[in-house]
Amino acid sequence: MYVLTIDQRRSRQREDLVESTMAALNKDRRWPLRLAFDRTAGDEMQAVTDSAATAAGIALELAAGGQWSIGVGVGPVREPLPSNTRAGAGEAFERAREAVTAAKTAPGNIAVSGASALAGQAEAVLQLVASVARKRSGLSVEAGLLVDEGLTQQQVAERLGISQQAVSGRLHSGLWHECRRAAEAAVALLEGADA
């Protein structure tokens, strides 16, 4: 099981983003959650999933914006699960707490904690992908998000009014395809860490 503990960075210096982000994540059908995101402290939220792809996807999506510290705890949780995340307990919850603390100073502001060495390997890959994502230009992000939606490079070019070669250049400069493959590797490592 995977527990995500997510803390808003510099929350005293900016508006509270927890409520709006929780609402968006809880409604997003891409991310199946066993327990929905719930506010656990003033600027912190937490959720539980049994999907490594969901844990990695949410972590990377939030890390790209640079406004969150994301901790992923890997391990068992006390079953049956309670009706809300705040009442959850177990190793994955404890590890998520350790991870979010480590994430505050970690590359990409992502940390993973689990009993297996694979958790550390997943963390390294996620940190690398998050660090690359933060350095992408807005043009690269624009093209990459459209490709992630399933559009071909030619369709992206038509939508943006640019050449297919320009789309290819934007994806190349943002290491879009490489990061997608690295994220898939991180998912496999997280699955192994929870095996």
Side-chain angles (χ1 to χ4, degrees):
M1 201 72 74
Y2 309 95
V3 175
L4 290 143
T5 300
I6 299 168
D7 183 51
Q8 184 177 346
R9 299 178 69 219
R10 295 183 295 278
S11 59
R12 292 185 182 145
Q13 300 165 352
R14 56 173 69 146
E15 67 178 295
D16 184 324
L17 301 173
V18 175
E19 286 300 322
S20 60
T21 303
M22 274 191 333
L25 290 170
N26 287 337
K27 284 191 253 181
D28 195 327
R29 296 194 183 277
R30 293 176 299 161
W31 314 127
L33 300 171
R34 289 283 307 274
L35 287 176
F37 277 97
D38 199 5
R39 189 185 287 262
T40 54
D43 56 0
E44 189 178 275
M45 57 185 169
Q46 192 170 57
V48 179
T49 183
D50 54 12
S51 165
T54 294
I58 290 172
L60 289 172
E61 189 169 289
L62 292 179
Q67 298 177 7
W68 304 95
S69 296
I70 303 105
V72 180
V74 182
V77 297
R78 189 175 302 149
E79 301 268 5
L81 288 171
S83 59
N84 67 58
T85 309
R86 282 176 297 193
E91 181 182 335
F93 282 92
E94 295 163 13
R95 289 190 174 276
R97 169 65 40 219
E98 295 169 10
V100 77
T101 300
K104 292 176 183 183
T105 57
N109 298 108
I110 295 179
V112 178
S113 178
S116 168
L118 294 174
Q121 294 171 14
E123 175 184 81
V125 175
L126 290 170
Q127 288 173 347
L128 178 63
V129 173
S131 296
V132 169
R134 286 187 182 174
K135 294 181 180 183
R136 287 182 178 134
S137 71
L139 297 174
S140 176
V141 171
E142 180 181 45
L145 290 175
L146 291 171
V147 168
D148 281 354
E149 289 177 13
L151 276 67
T152 66
Q153 288 188 25
Q154 187 58 44
Q155 290 168 325
V156 172
E158 290 168 9
R159 179 160 314 167
L160 298 179
I162 59 176
S163 70
Q164 188 273 327
Q165 291 81 5
V167 171
S168 179
R170 290 178 185 188
L171 296 173
H172 179 72
S173 69
L175 299 173
W176 212 269
H177 300 299
E178 295 84 353
C179 284
R180 183 183 293 150
R181 290 199 324 268
E184 290 168 0
V187 168
L189 290 166
L190 283 173
E191 288 171 345
D194 194 38

